[in-house]
Amino acid sequence: MKALFTYIAPTLALLLLGSNSVYAVNCQTLVTKAPQNVEIKTAMMGRDKDVRSPYCLVSGVMSQRMGVGSKFYSIQFELRLPNFWQGRFAYQFNGGNDGEVKPALGAVTGLTSSQYAINQGFAVVSSNGGHDALANPEAGLASPVMFGHDPEARRDYGYSAVEKLNPVARTLVESYYESPIKYSYGLGQSNGGRMAMVAATRFPTMFDGLLVGYPGFNLPKAALQHAWDVQALHRVNDDISQALSQRDLDFFSNKMLEQCDTLDGISDDMIFAADACQKVFEPKALVCKSDFDRDCLPLNKIGALMRMHMGPHNSKNQALYTSWPYDAGIRSQNWRMWKIESPISAWSNKPVSVVMGGASLAHIFTTPYTNVSGDVYALENYLLKFDFNKDAPKIYATNSQFKESAMSIMTPPDAAKPRLTQFKQHGGKMIIFHGNSDPVFSVQDTMRWYDFLDFMLEGRAPEFVRLYRVPGMPHGQGGPSADQFDTLQPLIAWVEHRTAPQSIVAATRTENPDITARMAGLTRPLCPYPSYAKYRQGSLQKASSFQCVISK
């Protein structure tokens, strides 16, 4: 009891004073309490619509240096310290190529704003990952990835910015509240999910809980898919935006639903029995048999889709990444934006895979880098000419300048044979979620990682890691999916109360343009892998009518 009182007393005392002035004074003094070689730029009280409690907003800079080409680098960060603090700290791993400081809210896909980490009593930090995305405007669309020419900037992006910033952020948090952090979490999705998985291996005692959303933990391998997709689509049409129309993808998705939707016991436009679907769905059956067929697609279009789902291979038929599951979310706006065409006129409507994907593969994920100019046609041409025999091995290459390969920097050191021994011994817990229709990082790569972990631990992976697949969901919210769900509270309960998560209730959102009319108002359980939700009895609308079962 004495220890508990010691922990809550400082926060409770401030709350009892009832005035934000006490927090304001503490906030302002942080400017003078910066650790060595850290500059606090601002420290002021703030409040906005997404945060329930007033908070101290701190912005700072550290690790300032001159890098390759006399370019300036630094780690810029933002720390939000809410009045309603519960002894929790969250490192927010940001996605994409980093390069800017995202609002430190602890916002994770699936959460409503009231469920953000900062509204659960977390102090939250975020950073730019050690580089400025706007530092090289002369590079055009390649500007955000030019940091890839600097070895230390690559390393900061891959993992070391977290190693440098985390102790600084913790010092500021504990100085502000005059109390120790009780629980430490890492939260991230996409590239941020990759960073969370890297942290579990590189920094196994840094975090008590890790929340991992659709991780690109094999990111350089996944980047090979961009070239693979562009080449597959180019076989259909020189203009890849015309290779597969929205009508084509709708048709493909609907035919898949005809064969797979009811495998989970109910027809609701979502495929929960995903593994069984891969066994029964046969894309080749959709090929037109003659020029007079209408309920079909041409051979070249089906061929492109099958090739894209197969994943990149070299001429020896060796897989260079992984395959992708067939799922109804292929018709989503998100899937099309990443693979086929985007609504961004400045990109000539080229997909994200061409612009961000092509630039990242050329400048960050291969050694030596290829100095592709930052216009969409140069980036597309780079992907079209990418040689999977000669160029793909560059993700593993080193040279005199880059002594670490892109794969060794970006992926967990034990990715091939994961054990997470130290993380587990520390008491760490991890929750992972991944959309079955993710067009950027294949859910099957995440499943394979989990299967390896479970094998290495002789079936004991669920003791500290749980994976949840989300049918229909692409890269983030969207798709024909129940894409609103809270994974943070189950992680908190697991870390702080040792209550292991079971199924997690997910709901459809009316504002999601990809859901059908009959999907409105549905709730469904997300089941821990390898189980899936199967209809049992009761209302077709409610998650409670389903049970988690394992495919036979």
Side-chain angles (χ1 to χ4, degrees):
M1 181 62 72
K2 181 179 179 181
L4 178 62
F5 180 78
T6 301
Y7 164 66
I8 68 172
T11 301
L12 181 60
L14 289 173
L15 290 173
L16 291 175
L17 287 173
S19 172
N20 287 340
S21 63
V22 175
Y23 285 105
V25 171
N26 281 4
C27 186
Q28 292 170 3
T29 60
L30 283 180
V31 175
T32 64
K33 295 182 178 180
Q36 189 175 7
N37 299 321
V38 176
E39 180 183 356
I40 302 299
K41 295 285 190 179
T42 60
M44 63 183 71
M45 296 302 294
R47 188 160 196 168
D48 59 50
K49 61 182 178 64
D50 289 325
V51 185
R52 294 185 299 183
S53 166
Y55 57 87
C56 174
L57 176 62
V58 180
S59 63
V61 62
M62 58 181 286
S63 300
Q64 302 179 73
R65 64 180 181 87
M66 294 298 292
V68 172
S70 298
K71 296 292 184 179
F72 181 75
Y73 290 91
S74 65
I75 297 175
Q76 300 173 29
F77 65 90
E78 173 181 298
L79 177 64
R80 298 195 185 199
L81 303 152
N83 290 9
F84 177 66
W85 189 56
Q86 299 297 296
R88 298 174 180 140
F89 167 70
Y91 197 117
Q92 177 181 302
F93 309 120
N94 293 322
N97 294 127
D98 274 328
E100 65 174 312
V101 181
K102 301 288 187 182
L105 301 171
V108 179
T109 291
L111 301 181
T112 62
S113 60
S114 65
Q115 296 167 336
Y116 291 170
I118 197 167
N119 290 323
Q120 305 299 317
F122 286 77
V124 185
V125 70
S126 70
S127 84
N128 68 346
H131 62 272
D132 182 357
L134 303 178
N136 301 280
E138 74 283 356
L141 296 176
S143 175
V145 298
M146 296 300 286
F147 73 90
H149 297 191
D150 185 280
E152 187 172 346
R154 278 194 185 188
R155 192 161 51 250
D156 280 344
Y157 175 58
Y159 62 88
S160 62
V162 174
E163 186 177 24
K164 297 171 183 176
L165 176 56
N166 189 69
V168 170
R170 289 182 63 94
T171 296
L172 291 171
V173 171
E174 294 181 343
S175 174
Y176 179 72
Y177 292 114
E178 298 179 350
S179 183
I181 293 169
K182 192 171 184 181
Y183 299 106
S184 183
Y185 295 79
L187 318 173
Q189 53 208 17
S190 189
N191 177 55
R194 174 201 64 82
M195 185 59 243
M197 294 179 71
V198 168
T201 300
R202 287 192 179 273
F203 319 122
T205 63
M206 189 177 283
F207 301 105
D208 303 304
L210 290 167
L211 182 52
V212 182
Y214 39 99
F217 72 96
N218 272 319
L219 211 163
K221 284 185 179 181
L224 300 176
Q225 181 75 30
H226 302 315
W228 187 258
D229 286 343
V230 167
Q231 292 180 23
L233 293 167
H234 198 259
R235 293 181 177 185
V236 180
N237 195 305
D238 289 346
D239 180 357
I240 63 171
S241 69
Q242 302 301 308
L244 293 168
S245 68
Q246 185 60 52
R247 184 177 179 180
D248 294 335
L249 298 179
D250 288 344
F251 170 83
F252 195 79
S253 176
N254 289 335
K255 287 299 181 181
M256 198 185 313
L257 286 169
E258 286 180 12
Q259 296 185 44
C260 298
D261 193 358
T262 58
L263 295 175
D264 54 23
I266 189 174
S267 177
D268 56 6
D269 295 338
M270 291 181 284
I271 302 171
F272 278 84
D275 298 331
C277 181
Q278 308 313 305
K279 298 175 182 178
V280 302
F281 179 61
E282 182 48 74
K284 290 180 181 178
L286 305 181
V287 175
C288 297
K289 305 299 188 297
S290 73
D291 294 339
F292 302 101
D293 288 347
R294 291 292 178 267
D295 194 31
C296 58
L297 287 176
L299 175 62
N300 62 348
K301 293 189 176 187
I302 293 294
L305 285 167
M306 292 180 64
R307 188 171 181 82
M308 292 165 73
H309 280 77
M310 180 178 73
H313 285 65
N314 60 22
S315 62
K316 296 180 180 179
N317 202 33
Q318 295 170 322
L320 303 177
Y321 176 45
T322 190
S323 59
W324 305 69
Y326 290 106
D327 187 70
I330 193 173
R331 67 172 177 79
S332 69
Q333 296 179 10
N334 180 285
W335 198 95
R336 185 172 189 82
M337 177 185 72
W338 274 95
K339 299 277 196 182
I340 311 293
E341 65 175 338
S342 76
I344 304 173
S345 57
W347 294 0
S348 300
N349 301 111
K350 296 296 182 182
V352 184
S353 62
V354 166
V355 179
M356 191 167 84
S360 298
L361 182 59
H363 292 273
I364 308 172
F365 300 140
T366 48
T367 302
Y369 60 81
T370 304
N371 204 5
V372 182
S373 64
D375 71 83
V376 293
Y377 299 104
L379 291 167
E380 184 176 49
N381 191 54
Y382 165 75
L383 295 176
L384 284 171
K385 293 184 176 181
F386 192 86
D387 188 317
F388 293 96
N389 294 321
K390 297 178 181 179
D391 296 329
K394 294 178 182 179
I395 65 175
Y396 298 99
T398 61
N399 60 20
S400 58
Q401 183 183 18
F402 296 94
K403 301 185 186 305
E404 293 178 272
S405 72
M407 281 296 291
S408 65
I409 289 173
M410 298 299 294
T411 61
D414 65 346
K417 294 182 178 180
R419 290 182 181 271
L420 303 185
T421 303
Q422 290 179 274
F423 181 69
K424 185 176 186 293
Q425 289 176 346
H426 172 66
K429 301 292 185 288
M430 182 188 297
I431 288 180
I432 309 171
F433 65 92
H434 203 145
N436 285 351
S437 282
D438 190 334
V440 189
F441 304 125
S442 174
V443 67
Q444 292 188 175
D445 200 33
T446 305
M447 292 158 55
R448 182 171 59 181
W449 175 87
Y450 185 90
D451 288 340
F452 281 156
L453 177 67
D454 199 42
F455 174 78
M456 297 298 291
L457 298 182
E458 299 179 341
R460 301 183 66 182
E463 293 179 5
F464 68 111
V465 181
R466 298 286 169 96
L467 166 61
Y468 296 85
R469 294 178 289 178
V470 188
M473 193 176 82
H475 198 64
Q477 285 184 308
S481 68
D483 62 356
Q484 184 169 296
F485 45 83
D486 184 356
T487 46
L488 181 55
Q489 272 299 323
L491 181 62
I492 292 172
W494 204 6
V495 168
E496 300 179 16
H497 305 293
R498 297 296 184 261
T499 304
Q502 302 302 324
S503 62
I504 294 174
V505 176
T508 58
R509 296 176 300 121
T510 55
E511 60 269 31
N512 177 3
D514 293 320
I515 66 168
T516 58
R518 65 175 179 169
M519 292 176 66
L522 296 183
T523 59
R524 293 289 184 266
L526 303 179
C527 297
Y529 174 76
S531 63
Y532 71 94
K534 185 170 185 178
Y535 177 70
R536 181 182 54 186
Q537 62 180 3
S539 170
L540 305 183
Q541 299 288 108
K542 296 180 179 180
S544 57
S545 301
F546 293 74
Q547 62 181 348
C548 293
V549 299
I550 296 177
S551 298
K552 297 180 180 179

